[in-house]
Amino acid sequence: MTYYASFRDYLQAEKSEKTFVLFCKSLYVFLIVKIVFLWPVLHDMLAYSPFQFSSAWREVVYAPIRLAQWDLDAFLIAFLVVLLLGLKLRLNYFSSALICWLSFCLSRLTGTLANGSDSILNLFLLIAIGHSYWPAFKTPSLKSSQIMMANFVLLLCRIQLALIYLLSGFNKLTSQAWQSGDAIYSIINLEYFSNPTLAFSFNEPMCTVLAWGVILFELGFSVLIWFKPFRIPMLCMGVCFHIGIIFFLSLPDFGVVMMLTYLLFLQRGYSIFGNR
């Protein structure tokens, strides 16, 4: 009971609203920019590879795609309006759920253009539904539960971010291609993956050093980010890491989404381990 009470007090004491509002609304801005850039491409995607409703379940889950197939411009405009309202209004269950649903459908529309950033974006949008302050409960017990739920969602998002790095680092650690550096050599020599304007050639030892640098960073980030003295250095290293992904691998959306998730750890005075 002592541990439960301590955890409950921790959730009640956590002041997370400003941190999480900034995080969520930055994702909304990212979605707005993404829609603008995808707009002309989506017309070609729908003509080349239209989405198929193969079951009644898909009819329900992907209902907004019906509007997109009928009039893509109307769907995208409606989505932009919802996002702009989301930026203007206070976080609430209705707009958060709607934005998550529309983003999920947009990812299905993009088809082969979708990448890891879409999965990460939709995952955090889904979790974020639980972090809302409207409609607010009036009774003290329910209001307290709502605050605890919101703070728990913030903690869950932080854990999820750490797990993304932990699992990615562990996967690379157990890969012979990453241990030997062959993965780095393959990446920088894939024409469709690397940026031709920033082409570099590394010898075998350098590829091995870079590969192990990535492995150690990802594993270290998942642990050290929880300790206050290491938080800012790890976030700075992460920003440099993802800027490299943006420019050298031509994956701007993935790099931007991952850097936006760092906002979750920028709350002043927050620390699980070490002094607050």
Side-chain angles (χ1 to χ4, degrees):
M1 289 300 294
T2 302
Y3 291 107
Y4 171 76
S6 299
F7 183 61
R8 183 188 59 193
D9 293 341
Y10 163 76
L11 290 179
Q12 290 176 333
E14 183 75 42
K15 306 299 182 183
S16 62
E17 183 175 10
K18 290 183 179 179
T19 300
F20 208 83
V21 167
L22 178 61
F23 168 64
C24 286
K25 298 203 173 184
S26 68
L27 294 183
Y28 297 169
V29 172
F30 172 80
L31 270 170
I32 291 173
V33 175
K34 181 176 181 177
I35 290 172
V36 172
F37 278 94
L38 282 178
W39 204 303
V41 180
L42 284 173
H43 282 278
D44 296 332
M45 287 293 300
L46 281 181
Y48 174 75
S49 180
F51 183 83
Q52 301 293 328
F53 292 92
S54 57
S55 66
W57 173 248
R58 289 169 72 90
E59 289 277 0
V60 175
V61 174
Y62 302 113
I65 294 182
R66 282 295 185 190
L67 172 60
Q69 291 179 335
W70 174 69
D71 191 328
L72 179 60
D73 293 329
F75 169 77
L76 295 177
I77 291 173
F79 196 0
L80 286 176
V81 170
V82 172
L83 288 169
L84 292 172
L85 288 174
L87 290 174
K88 181 68 175 177
L89 301 174
R90 193 177 185 186
L91 292 182
N92 62 85
Y93 298 107
F94 305 114
S95 63
S96 298
L98 182 58
I99 289 173
C100 177
W101 189 25
L102 293 176
S103 177
F104 186 70
C105 291
L106 180 64
S107 299
R108 289 297 176 269
L109 280 177
T110 57
T112 55
L113 294 178
N115 55 46
S117 68
D118 295 274
S119 300
I120 294 172
L121 173 65
N122 292 330
L123 172 63
F124 281 105
L125 287 175
L126 178 63
I127 299 175
I129 296 174
H131 192 292
S132 299
Y133 287 92
W134 188 88
F137 297 113
K138 300 299 183 181
T139 59
S141 60
L142 291 178
K143 185 176 181 180
S144 176
S145 298
Q146 189 175 30
I147 293 174
M148 291 179 65
M149 173 60 71
N151 292 327
F152 177 74
V153 167
L154 174 61
L155 179 60
L156 183 61
C157 284
R158 287 167 170 163
I159 293 173
Q160 180 61 49
L161 175 59
L163 287 176
I164 289 173
Y165 281 102
L166 178 63
L167 294 177
S168 178
F170 181 78
N171 182 61
K172 292 180 176 65
L173 181 64
T174 57
S175 169
Q176 184 61 40
W178 278 93
Q179 292 179 16
S180 64
D182 291 342
I184 296 293
Y185 180 83
S186 299
I187 290 173
I188 63 178
N189 286 279
L190 291 175
E191 294 183 359
Y192 66 88
F193 207 36
S194 60
N195 189 338
T197 61
L198 295 173
F200 288 90
S201 178
F202 298 117
N203 56 29
E204 184 176 342
M206 190 61 183
C207 287
T208 303
V209 170
L210 288 174
W212 277 99
V214 172
I215 293 171
L216 293 176
F217 163 72
E218 292 186 339
L219 292 176
F221 185 97
S222 64
V223 177
L224 296 178
I225 194 64
W226 299 102
F227 296 85
K228 188 176 180 180
F230 298 101
R231 183 171 306 120
I232 297 302
M234 294 308 300
L235 292 176
C236 291
M237 290 175 61
V239 168
C240 294
F241 177 71
H242 288 293
I243 288 177
I245 289 177
I246 290 173
F247 287 101
F248 292 103
L249 300 183
S250 300
L251 290 172
D253 47 352
F254 178 78
V256 170
V257 167
M258 290 305 299
M259 286 190 288
L260 290 178
T261 61
Y262 291 176
L263 295 172
L264 293 165
F265 280 95
L266 288 182
Q267 182 175 348
R268 185 176 181 181
Y270 165 78
S271 182
I272 286 184
F273 303 105
N275 296 326
R276 295 179 66 84

